[in-house]
Amino acid sequence: LDSLPNEVLLFILNYLDYETVFVRVGHVCNRFYGLARAHSRRHWDFRNLSTNRFLHLCQLITHQRVTSIILS
C-alpha cells in the first residue's frame, strides 16, 4: 500500500460507507488517518444511521466539505 498514490486510495474511499472511512480506515496508520480526514465525498446518505452514529460522524468530518446530507 505504500506505493499506491493517495489519489488511488481516495478513489477507493468513495466506495466505502462513512463508518469504514472515518472509524476504521482512519485508525490504520497516520497516512490513512490523514486521507480519511481529507476525504472529499460531499454527498452523504444517512438514512440508515442511528442518531448516535450521526452525531459521531458530525464530530469527525470537516463540515465545509459537505454539500448535501440525506436524513430519514
Side-chain angles (χ1 to χ4, degrees), residues 12-65:
I12 294 168
L13 293 182
N14 282 325
Y15 292 95
L16 303 175
D17 63 274
Y18 101 90
E19 188 171 20
T20 302
V21 172
F22 292 105
V23 177
R24 291 179 175 62
V25 172
H27 291 287
V28 171
C29 64
N30 287 336
R31 178 183 179 201
F32 283 18
Y33 177 83
L35 288 172
R37 295 304 175 263
H39 182 54
S40 63
R41 184 186 304 172
R42 295 177 181 267
H43 305 281
W44 294 94
D45 184 347
F46 298 139
R47 286 180 281 199
N48 297 321
L49 289 182
S50 69
T51 302
N52 287 338
R53 289 185 187 266
F54 175 73
L55 294 174
H56 185 240
L57 172 69
C58 290
Q59 296 173 356
L60 297 174
I61 64 173
T62 304
H63 299 91
Q64 295 88 340
R65 295 184 168 274

